[in-house]
Amino acid sequence: MSTPKQFPDGFLWGSATASYQIEGAAREDGRGCCIWGTYSRTPGKVHAGHTGQVACDHYHRYAEDVRLMRDLNLQSYRFSTSWARVMPDGRSINRAGLDFYSRLTDELLEQGVVPWLTLYHWDLPQALEDQGGWPSRDVAHRFADYAEAVHEALGDRIHYWTTLNEPWCSAFLGYAAGRHAPGRTDGPDALRAAHHLLLGHGLALQVLRSRDPELELGITLNFADVTPADPGDPGDRDAARRIDGMSNRFFIEPLLRGGYPADVLDDLRAVWPEDLVRDGDLDLISGRMDMLGVNYYSGNTVTGVPPELAHEAADAARALGRPTEHVGSEHVGFVPQDVPHTAMGWEVRPHGLTDLLVRLDRDYTGPASTDLYVTENGAAYDDVPDDDGFVEDTDRLAYVADHLAAVHAAIEQGATVRGYFLWSLLDNFEWAYGYDKRFGIVRVDYDTLERTPKASAQWYAGVAGSNRLP
Ligand code: PNW
């Protein structure tokens, strides 16, 4: 019999969601249109034409959802504010939009749930996309104004603030691969978007810090476990260096080391816009952070394709309408592994989370005295509800248990990990997959909008309540 794994005192147990994925009420109280509204209404972009118009109707059911969190022993709730609700045209403030987040915050505090706010989880006001979107430098400044407006309304009650969720997805899925909103497919523009997202983070950090030095500030990045197909093969090792460079180091190095990784800039030589980085940008981007949010789901095993085939491969992908998100590394091959997969087709690689947290602490956050939080981890599976809507989701439960064991192992190896947020509290709008993929520990019946905790929720409530893994 194995001994229960105890987590450190004060470890923060929570769950996470995002505005566009759960709120609905897309036209209520003056909310403006956002890029996901536009993208999801574009034929062929989102599974079955699903949109976030109604989603989980959290906008009207937030009180019920907060009670659910309390019943599940959750100590913290990570949610995002919708920029288009707060600033419908990306610039002027909509009081009614802020009031919703004020009501939500009060409800959380009343039920003893610590609010953890993300300012940007992908729903850029359409008006700002129409003015160029993230490839335009001005949007970074608009983001700092938005951060100030949200802080003005909620700063007295919220301690934890993260600027961006997964800028990698915003930049490379949104502007290079076109698989996320706004659906553009231009490599240099994706790089511009990435830099301006980081700049927006730095500017917002500065605003928030100057308004209140006591806030706990940071950003959430997504990381992948990247391994070479044959560690003895120099081509495969170089492929792993490239994908690790673009997926993992491209964002963390400017944030915590003050510069883009030299080898990655080298890989990007042909596409990197020369006038992109201005004097002072990297000082802003590397402003001190109190915490780093880590989102982790899976990883890839990669192999090098001979360079002479590289351009051919990139052209072929483009001709098929599938340009790659891996700008500058179009010739890397991905080798499926014979391991369990989730319903997303993502490989289950819990050990990668231990390695990642230990590496981040050793190479980046430890030296910077920045705490680590897992701000997302979880899985989609094909749920089968019984007549009462209950789901015995042993697969999701096992996924979470294995990843929590991996977090525990990282802590035992010395990594400073202070909390874990399960993605997601509710089944919700899973971006290009619409409502077809379910990540919730609580089932949502999309006909009745009824919520029913799954077996994984009951299990997770036990973990959160006892601060240990059974
Ligand atoms: C994250 N990838 O998205 C987001 O933060 C959530 O909003 C989302 O629902 C969740 O993970 C599950 O998908 C990702 O292709 C989407 O590597 C795609 C990738 C990674 C994260």
Side-chain angles (χ1 to χ4, degrees):
M1 206 190 89
S2 60
T3 48
K5 295 182 166 65
Q6 188 75 35
F7 281 76
D9 287 346
F11 193 82
L12 198 60
W13 295 98
S15 70
T17 65
S19 47
Y20 191 80
Q21 295 181 272
I22 65 163
E23 284 179 4
R27 290 187 203 282
E28 245 162 287
D29 297 331
R31 180 184 175 282
C33 181
C34 78
I35 55 174
W36 271 96
T38 307
Y39 186 77
S40 61
R41 283 193 302 272
T42 309
K45 296 300 184 190
V46 172
H47 171 84
H50 292 166
T51 75
Q53 200 73 21
V54 176
C56 307
D57 194 34
H58 172 75
Y59 191 77
H60 298 113
R61 294 166 198 253
Y62 70 94
E64 174 188 349
D65 291 339
V66 173
R67 274 196 300 279
L68 208 56
M69 296 173 210
R70 185 205 54 195
D71 292 345
L72 293 176
N73 296 327
L74 303 186
Q75 296 150 13
S76 186
Y77 174 53
R78 173 178 179 257
F79 66 99
S80 74
T81 46
S82 154
W83 191 345
R85 211 180 270 296
V86 173
M87 295 177 152
D89 61 357
R91 290 163 195 273
S92 32
I93 295 174
N94 172 33
R95 191 49 45 204
L98 283 170
D99 286 347
F100 167 67
Y101 298 109
S102 192
R103 292 195 295 278
L104 170 63
T105 301
D106 285 343
E107 191 68 31
L108 287 165
L109 294 175
E110 195 139 312
Q111 301 294 340
V113 180
V114 176
W116 177 298
L117 188 146
T118 300
L119 284 164
Y120 186 71
H121 201 126
W122 308 355
D123 38 7
L124 185 72
Q126 182 62 38
L128 294 180
E129 174 59 25
D130 294 343
Q131 290 155 38
W134 284 109
S136 152
R137 189 176 168 96
D138 180 62
V139 171
H141 292 278
R142 301 289 70 76
F143 180 67
D145 292 347
Y146 159 61
E148 178 162 29
V150 178
H151 184 266
E152 179 68 34
L154 307 176
D156 57 335
R157 285 160 290 162
I158 298 187
H159 182 63
Y160 295 98
W161 294 72
T162 45
T163 53
L164 309 173
N165 176 71
E166 303 188 351
W168 180 89
C169 291
S170 299
F172 295 109
L173 296 180
Y175 291 91
R179 283 193 282 118
H180 278 187
R184 286 159 61 178
T185 54
D186 181 279
D189 269 353
L191 296 170
R192 286 190 186 90
H195 182 66
H196 296 147
L197 281 153
L198 285 170
L199 183 62
H201 156 82
L203 291 165
L205 204 65
Q206 196 180 44
V207 165
L208 296 171
R209 192 71 84 194
S210 71
R211 291 180 62 90
D212 182 355
E214 301 291 305
L215 299 178
E216 192 102 3
L217 302 178
I219 191 170
T220 279
L221 302 179
N222 55 309
F223 295 92
D225 178 37
V226 184
T227 49
D230 174 2
D233 180 301
D236 289 0
R237 281 206 307 273
D238 192 61
R241 176 197 63 73
R242 281 172 170 272
I243 299 303
D244 176 60
M246 283 306 284
S247 319
N248 299 327
R249 291 181 290 119
F250 184 89
F251 289 92
I252 192 137
E253 299 214 351
L255 289 163
L256 288 171
R257 287 191 182 161
Y260 289 103
D263 62 306
V264 174
L265 290 182
D266 209 42
D267 296 339
L268 292 171
R269 232 176 3 231
V271 278
W272 184 261
E274 228 171 82
D275 55 350
L276 180 57
V277 181
R278 300 196 190 160
D279 284 350
D281 283 5
L282 287 162
D283 289 337
L284 276 167
I285 292 170
S286 58
R288 184 176 66 80
M289 290 197 291
D290 306 292
M291 38 82 168
L292 172 72
V294 175
N295 290 0
Y296 178 85
Y297 291 93
S298 182
N300 292 110
T301 302
V302 297
T303 182
V305 175
E308 55 280 14
L309 296 181
H311 292 293
E312 250 172 78
D315 290 347
R318 196 165 275 284
L320 287 169
R322 291 197 60 89
T324 170
E325 59 271 34
H326 302 289
V327 177
S329 289
E330 287 81 359
H331 57 292
V332 169
F334 292 79
V335 188
Q337 302 297 293
D338 189 16
V339 297
H341 288 65
T342 70
M344 298 294 283
W346 297 350
E347 294 173 6
V348 179
R349 300 166 67 131
H351 188 72
L353 181 54
T354 305
D355 295 348
L356 170 67
L357 293 168
V358 169
R359 173 191 180 194
L360 288 173
D361 185 86
R362 183 194 62 214
D363 294 349
Y364 300 101
T365 57
S369 298
T370 300
D371 294 337
L372 290 168
Y373 286 84
V374 175
T375 40
E376 280 181 32
N377 173 243
Y381 283 103
D382 295 323
D383 291 338
V384 183
D386 68 14
D387 291 344
D388 300 319
F390 180 76
V391 181
E392 190 72 54
D393 56 343
T394 41
D395 36 20
R396 184 176 291 103
L397 193 158
Y399 178 100
V400 174
D402 289 349
H403 285 77
L404 280 173
V407 173
H408 189 268
I411 294 172
E412 284 200 315
Q413 290 174 45
T416 308
V417 188
R418 300 219 182 274
Y420 176 94
F421 292 82
L422 204 161
W423 184 272
S424 178
L425 177 71
L426 303 171
D427 289 338
N428 59 48
F429 178 80
E430 178 50 32
W431 307 116
Y433 297 87
Y435 300 99
D436 189 46
K437 298 286 180 257
R438 295 174 178 269
F439 275 89
I441 52 172
V442 174
R443 178 171 179 87
V444 175
D445 177 324
Y446 291 114
D447 294 323
T448 62
L449 293 169
E450 200 180 326
R451 279 83 161 130
T452 310
K454 306 175 190 177
S456 57
Q458 299 171 341
W459 177 85
Y460 189 57
V463 173
S466 62
N467 201 32
R468 55 154 87 165
L469 271 183

